Amino acid sequence: MDSRVEDFTASIHFDRRLYRYDIEGSMAHAAMLAKQGVITPEEGESIVTGLRSILEDIERGDFEFRPEHEDIHMAVEAALVDRIGDAGEKLHTGRSRNDQVALDIRLFLRDEIAAAVKRLEKLMETLVQKAEEEIDTIMPGFTHLQKAQPVRLSHYLLAYREMFFRDRERFLSCLERVNVMPLGSAALAGTSIPIDRAFVAELLNFPRLSANSMDAVSDRDCAAEFMFAAALTMAHLSRFCEDLVIWTSDQFGFVEMADSFSTGSSLMPQKKNPDVAELVRGKTGRVYGNLVSLLTILKGLPMTYNRDLQEDKEALFDTVDTLSSSLEVFEGMVATLVFNRDRMLEEAAAGYTTATDLAEYLVTRGVPFRSAHHIVGRLVGYCIERNIDFSDLELNEIRRFYPPADESIFNCFSVEASPDRRTAVGGTARSAILQRIREIKEAGHE
Ligand code: ARG
């Protein structure tokens, strides 16, 4: 082989990461071959012992990955033959690297899904805890980044908890399709060696076998699904980060990040920057890119295995690493946020954010909603012209727009009371939020 081809086709420098799964799969395969009488029990034992010693050496950092071994599968097999001789040459009976790598990826994804789910659960717990702490904090809710209506900060925090809950479900749903055992598909067409696939599946704890050997060796759907679930999780993290970048600005001043989760400027001594939030937002782009990269690799592949598929791994590994570090650091950042409650309330009160409360009050007095909307709109215009707030209005001024007005109308202008009028399920009233927190705690993560 031309040395350029050797370098170009090698994947050992990144797929060595799969060593544990590769060895685990080979141990199960060898045990099955022995049980089936394809190899002798002694050969089976010698293979398993040899593989175990390789595993231990790799974990100890005592294993030399040689460049002439193009991938992890070749490296382990070559080391096995070195250590145990002839029996090692029998390991690859009834198997191809095509079904072997398909198995390795599934074993790897199984662990990574469990890790992602755990990190999401931790983050959800932190958000619920913060929501409880901030139950009495009123903030302006925004649409179009324009102040809209007063809401409770808890409601905002729990909105993200809902997103992360769906992300967790998405990973767990992906796990059902990951949990399918492809070994036995061989190169593409299965094998005439009398194998027992169900036995291998049992050893490796797979509830199902792949049903079509051609599909099994060319399928990377579960990797694509995982990468989509990761991409959407990153989208949620990124949106939260965007808010934090805005909220930590001097202009907003809604929240302060802990010193341990902010950075300074090398030039301006007074600066405290939300770099962690910005980096999570920035890294979201990589995770999107990885997904698009895999989807693009898949779109033009003739059946069945093609070497293009080797390009799945770096994108997948980068997604796994970016997602896990982002979730870790984000959780710490959120746990240490200090919200400026006074400032949030002040901003919630300014800017006629209770205009909708007033319109809804008029509706309770029998005014059709469209007319109520119009009346309040004119009243807001009047206030803006005079540069006053709702709370500065006199009853006789209100009566110019709504003649039957009485003192009770002033209740509408309280920002503290406003969220609590929205009591329906899913609303931002204190009672609705506390109810939701109770439900969450009762259900656990289910
Ligand atoms: N390193 C390869 C991959 O990751 C393993 C399978 C190679 N199969 C082959 N027929 N060349 O896809």
Side-chain angles (χ1 to χ4, degrees):
M1 197 184 276
D2 189 294
S3 68
R4 285 168 296 187
V5 175
E6 220 172 79
D7 290 345
F8 190 71
T9 56
S11 56
I12 185 71
H13 53 290
F14 55 83
D15 67 14
R16 51 195 273 183
R17 178 169 180 166
L18 296 171
Y19 72 88
R20 206 161 4 109
Y21 307 108
D22 198 70
I23 291 174
E24 193 188 345
S26 289
M27 283 178 170
H29 182 66
M32 181 276 289
L33 291 177
K35 179 190 83 81
Q36 294 297 92
V38 178
I39 58 176
T40 66
E42 295 72 36
E43 286 168 335
E45 254 159 54
S46 153
I47 291 175
V48 170
T49 312
L51 288 170
R52 191 165 297 126
S53 76
I54 294 171
L55 178 64
E56 285 164 5
D57 288 358
I58 298 177
E59 303 228 282
R60 239 186 296 114
D62 259 356
F63 186 89
E64 200 201 339
F65 287 99
R66 284 191 249 122
E68 68 265 28
H69 297 136
E70 103 185 18
D71 56 26
I72 183 64
H73 325 298
M74 301 291 245
V76 171
E77 194 182 334
L80 184 68
V81 174
D82 273 354
R83 290 178 193 205
I84 68 165
D86 285 352
E89 307 243 357
K90 295 193 174 179
L91 170 63
H92 213 51
T93 312
R95 184 178 77 169
S96 150
R97 279 186 295 158
N98 297 352
D99 56 347
Q100 193 178 352
V101 73
L103 173 69
D104 291 4
I105 290 173
R106 285 167 187 275
L107 290 169
F108 170 76
L109 277 174
R110 223 156 56 167
D111 277 0
E112 292 305 333
I113 287 173
V117 162
K118 240 168 123 184
R119 291 196 173 94
L120 282 165
E121 288 174 354
K122 175 95 196 297
L123 176 55
M124 284 191 273
E125 281 161 24
T126 300
L127 286 169
V128 172
Q129 197 187 322
K130 280 273 168 196
E132 285 184 303
E133 284 168 27
E134 302 298 337
I135 187 69
D136 289 317
T137 308
I138 311 284
M139 63 171 274
F142 299 88
T143 63
H144 314 267
L145 199 55
Q146 310 289 317
K147 260 188 238 171
Q149 289 184 276
V151 295
R152 290 186 181 276
L153 175 56
S154 306
H155 202 47
Y156 172 93
L157 295 167
L158 291 178
Y160 277 97
R161 190 260 168 207
E162 299 294 338
M163 295 178 222
F164 296 127
F165 181 79
R166 292 194 295 273
D167 292 330
R168 175 184 171 279
E169 283 190 320
R170 216 168 274 117
F171 279 113
L172 288 175
S173 161
C174 172
L175 179 61
E176 286 172 34
R177 286 168 295 281
V178 166
N179 233 344
V180 175
M181 212 289 293
L183 214 62
S185 305
L188 78 160
T191 174
S192 63
I193 307 283
I195 55 173
D196 182 348
R197 297 189 63 209
F199 182 71
V200 176
E202 211 180 294
L203 289 181
L204 296 173
N205 229 337
F206 279 97
R208 281 192 291 159
L209 297 178
S210 58
N212 183 303
S213 63
M214 295 178 83
D215 175 41
V217 295
S218 61
D219 173 29
R220 294 294 179 274
D221 291 2
C222 58
E225 274 189 52
F226 176 90
M227 286 159 87
F228 172 71
L232 200 52
T233 305
M234 289 300 292
H236 297 149
L237 292 176
S238 183
R239 290 186 68 186
F240 202 141
C241 287
E242 171 74 3
D243 274 337
L244 291 177
V245 169
I246 295 171
W247 290 6
T248 50
S249 71
D250 193 43
Q251 298 90 311
F252 266 74
F254 278 8
V255 65
E256 190 168 345
M257 278 183 193
D259 287 351
S260 51
F261 281 87
S262 351
T263 50
S265 156
S266 59
L267 190 148
M268 299 162 282
Q270 87 288 9
K271 290 274 275 176
K272 183 167 169 181
N273 294 328
D275 289 31
V276 171
E278 292 167 286
L279 274 171
V280 170
R281 190 177 60 185
K283 283 174 190 289
T284 303
R286 290 165 67 136
V287 174
Y288 285 8
N290 291 335
L291 171 64
V292 173
S293 164
L294 178 62
L295 290 173
T296 310
I297 289 165
L298 294 177
K299 78 178 270 290
L301 292 186
M303 283 282 264
T304 54
Y305 179 86
N306 300 269
R307 193 60 179 271
D308 315 42
L309 288 173
Q310 180 168 293
E311 289 291 308
D312 61 353
K313 278 172 226 54
E314 282 162 297
L316 177 61
F317 294 162
D318 185 64
T319 290
V320 160
D321 294 339
T322 308
L323 177 72
S324 70
S325 61
S326 299
L327 282 170
E328 282 287 319
V329 73
F330 182 88
E331 190 277 329
M333 180 175 66
V334 168
T336 52
L337 289 175
V338 178
F339 292 98
N340 188 339
R341 296 167 183 168
D342 296 339
R343 176 93 188 110
M344 283 186 148
L345 179 63
E346 190 182 301
E347 279 301 313
Y352 317 105
T353 54
T354 51
T356 308
D357 297 67
L358 183 55
E360 286 173 0
Y361 168 82
L362 295 183
V363 167
T364 67
R365 291 298 166 109
V367 182
F369 182 74
R370 274 296 150 222
S371 317
H373 188 278
H374 185 68
I375 291 168
V376 179
R378 285 178 51 226
L379 184 65
V380 169
Y382 173 87
C383 291
I384 291 173
E385 239 169 61
R386 279 158 190 77
N387 197 22
I388 58 169
D389 234 320
F390 278 159
S391 52
D392 303 319
L393 285 168
E394 306 276 347
L395 189 56
N396 59 9
E397 290 175 285
I398 299 173
R399 283 192 174 143
R400 284 194 226 164
F401 300 91
Y402 178 61
D406 58 51
E407 291 287 338
S408 70
I409 203 162
F410 287 109
N411 294 332
C412 302
F413 299 140
S414 156
V415 264
E416 281 101 331
S418 166
D420 289 346
R421 279 190 280 265
R422 284 166 257 139
T423 51
V425 174
T428 190
R430 198 175 197 279
S431 59
I433 295 170
L434 290 175
Q435 171 59 25
R436 182 67 190 129
I437 291 176
R438 264 195 303 279
E439 279 167 19
I440 289 169
K441 288 189 162 174
E442 268 163 35
H445 290 295
E446 294 313 313

